[in-house]
Amino acid sequence: MVMKCAPVCLVALALLGSLCDAQWGGGIHKPSVPKYQKPSPPVRQEPKHVPQEPQQSKQTFEKPLTWTYPEDPKPEPQPDVPFELRYPVPASTVAVECREKIAHVEVKKDMFGIGQLINPADLTLGACGAVAEDIGAQVLIFEAELHDCDSRLAMTEDALIYTFTLNYDPQPVGNSPVVRTTKAAVIVECHYPRYHNVSSLPLNPLWIPFSAVKISEEFLYFTLRLMTDDWQYERPIYQYFLGDMINIEAMVKQYFHVPLRVYVDSCVATLSPDVNSSPRYAFIENHGCLLDARITGSSSKFMSRSAENKLQFQLEAFRFKGAESGLLYITCHLKATSTACAIDSEHRACSYISGWKEASGVDPACSSCESGGFITSGTSSVASGTGTSTGSTSLSTPGRKIRDAPKDDIFEWEGDVTLGPIPINERVIA
C-alpha cells in the first residue's frame, strides 16, 4: 500500500518543483487582475432641471420715463391785502326849527346818508306823520304843536324844553322779509328861554353800532369768499354796515379737471347755519336768478364774468326785521359744468337791471326768471344734490358732489357752501 502511494507523491513533488522554478526564475510577477470585476451598486441619480427660457421679457424704453404722479394740491398762500375798513360817518339829515307855537322838523329821505331812501310811512314824529314832502329836495316835513305828537315838557331855571321823538320803524318791502335800514329813535328838542325870545338848537341823535366776527369756510372744490371793493383780494375784515355792497366770489378749483364753468344755482340768507330755519330769505332762486333787486329794488347783481371758473356778485347789505343780533348766514348751492356746455335756463347767472341780464351776455337764457314767480319767506328751499361728499362742512349733505344727466350727456359737480356769521351793523347818523 505504501509502494502504491510513492509514485503519486513523486509526481506531485515534481509538479510543485516546476511551479516554483517558473515563479522564481522569471522574476516576481504580480497576480493578474481578473478580467471581469464585481459591479458596484447602482447610484441613484436625481433628475436634472434644465432652465427654461422665459417666455416674457422686460420691456425697455428708448428714453427714460419722466412722468410722475401729480402732487397733492397745496393751499394757496394768503397775500397781505392793503385794506382799511371804512367806518360810516354821522349824517346830518335831520333839522328842526322851533317856532312860536310849533316845532318844524325836516328829514331827508336818505336819512342814513347811504343812498337808501326811506318809506315816508315808516317815519313818524311821535304819533304824527309827515304833513308834506319836498319831492325835488327829497325831504319830509313834520309840523307839531308844542303840546301835541306825544311831546314831553321839562322846565329848568332858565328854559322850557319840549321834547319830541322821531321814530323810524322800517317795514319789509313787498313780500320779502328783509330790511336794509334799522329802527331809529331821534330826539328832537325845542328850548324856549323863559325870559327871552324863541331859539333853536341842533339835533344830537345817538347811535350804538354792533360788531362781530365773520368766519368763512372753504371746501375741496367749491369756495365762497368775501372780496374787497376792487375784487383783487379776499376781504381781511368782515364787518359791514347797512347800505354797503357785499362782494361775494364763487369759485370752483380747476386742479386736474377739464375747464369748468361755475354757477350759483340758489342762495338763502338765515339767522343760523340751518338753511331751513326761520326767518329765511332766498335771494337767488330758479337756477341762478338773483331776485333781490327785482323784489326790493336794491342794487344787487351779478358781475360780468372775468373767468369761467369763478362768478362774482354783489348783495346789498340787509338785516331781518326784528332781529337784534345783526348776523347773517348765507348758504349757496353751487354747480359746475364743462365750459363746452351751453348756457341755458338751468345754467345761468341772471340779474335784474331794467330787465333780466345774463353775466356772460346770453340774455335769452334769463327769459324764464320772470315767469317763474317769486318765492316768499318760509316757502323756498335750497336744492340738495345727490352723491358722495368730500371735505368738512356744517351742512348735512355738503362738499363736492357729482351727477350724471344722461339726457344731454352733461356732467355736473354740485355742492353747498356756507358763509357766516356775517355781521351787518347799524350806521351812525347825526
Side-chain angles (χ1 to χ4, degrees), residues 36-347:
Y36 298 99
Q37 295 182 355
K38 183 179 180 180
S40 60
V43 179
R44 183 178 179 182
Q45 296 182 355
E46 298 292 336
K48 296 182 179 180
H49 295 281
V50 180
Q52 298 180 354
E53 293 293 332
Q55 297 180 357
Q56 296 181 351
S57 61
K58 183 177 180 181
Q59 185 178 5
T60 59
F61 297 93
E62 295 180 358
K63 296 181 180 179
L65 291 177
T66 59
W67 183 89
T68 58
Y69 281 99
E71 297 181 356
D72 293 335
K74 297 181 180 179
E76 300 177 358
Q78 296 295 329
D80 294 333
V81 181
F83 178 84
E84 182 178 356
L85 179 65
R86 295 195 301 267
Y87 286 89
V89 297
S92 299
T93 56
V94 180
V96 59
E97 180 183 355
C98 298
R99 299 177 181 176
E100 183 177 357
K101 294 183 179 180
I102 64 174
H104 179 89
V105 180
E106 296 183 359
V107 182
K108 293 182 180 180
K109 294 186 70 174
D110 185 11
M111 183 177 176
F112 297 91
I114 59 175
Q116 187 75 29
L117 301 183
I118 64 174
N119 185 358
D122 298 338
L123 185 65
T124 60
L125 184 64
C128 303
V131 299
E133 179 180 351
D134 187 340
I135 299 177
Q138 297 290 325
V139 172
L140 299 176
I141 300 173
F142 297 84
E143 288 187 349
E145 293 190 5
L146 298 180
H147 296 281
D148 290 341
C149 301
D150 299 331
S151 67
R152 298 185 302 274
L153 172 62
M155 184 181 299
T156 65
E157 183 178 353
D158 299 325
L160 299 173
I161 303 174
Y162 292 89
T163 303
F164 299 85
T165 303
L166 191 64
N167 297 309
Y168 176 62
D169 187 10
Q171 301 299 318
V173 180
N175 293 326
S176 68
V178 304
V179 292
R180 288 194 165 86
T181 51
T182 56
K183 294 178 62 175
V186 181
I187 304 301
V188 178
E189 294 182 349
C190 281
H191 290 232
Y192 292 93
R194 297 181 65 179
Y195 307 105
H196 301 281
N197 294 330
V198 176
S199 64
S200 62
L201 292 176
L203 175 70
N204 295 313
L206 299 177
W207 202 279
I208 303 176
F210 293 95
S211 62
V213 178
K214 177 263 171 193
I215 300 174
S216 176
E217 297 181 11
E218 291 191 352
F219 306 106
L220 182 60
Y221 283 99
F222 291 107
T223 61
L224 279 181
R225 298 192 301 170
L226 301 179
M227 305 298 291
T228 56
D229 292 343
D230 58 0
W231 297 98
Q232 298 298 315
Y233 304 96
E234 185 175 1
R235 203 172 194 261
I237 300 176
Y238 304 107
Q239 195 174 49
Y240 291 92
F241 300 92
L242 289 172
D244 287 347
M245 299 303 295
I246 304 176
N247 294 337
I248 303 176
E249 182 182 85
M251 179 183 292
V252 59
K253 296 291 187 180
Q254 292 288 108
Y255 293 136
F256 311 113
H257 284 287
V258 297
L260 299 176
R261 183 186 297 122
V262 68
Y263 301 91
V264 181
D265 195 63
S266 61
C267 281
V268 61
T270 54
L271 291 175
S272 69
D274 183 8
V275 295
N276 297 315
S277 62
S278 181
R280 62 195 305 274
Y281 176 47
F283 57 89
I284 298 180
E285 278 280 21
N286 195 16
H287 301 298
C289 298
L290 206 164
L291 306 177
D292 185 60
R294 182 69 178 87
I295 296 174
T296 66
S298 69
S299 301
S300 303
K301 62 181 179 180
F302 283 107
M303 310 299 290
S304 298
R305 281 191 184 269
S306 59
E308 295 291 351
N309 69 321
K310 66 176 63 175
L311 183 60
Q312 300 165 338
F313 63 97
Q314 290 183 321
L315 177 65
E316 191 170 344
F318 63 86
R319 299 180 69 172
F320 283 101
K321 173 68 176 178
E324 298 296 333
S325 66
L327 302 179
L328 292 180
Y329 288 84
I330 295 177
T331 302
C332 293
H333 185 72
L334 307 183
K335 294 195 305 187
T337 64
S338 170
T339 55
C341 299
I343 297 174
D344 55 22
S345 60
E346 294 186 3
H347 307 87

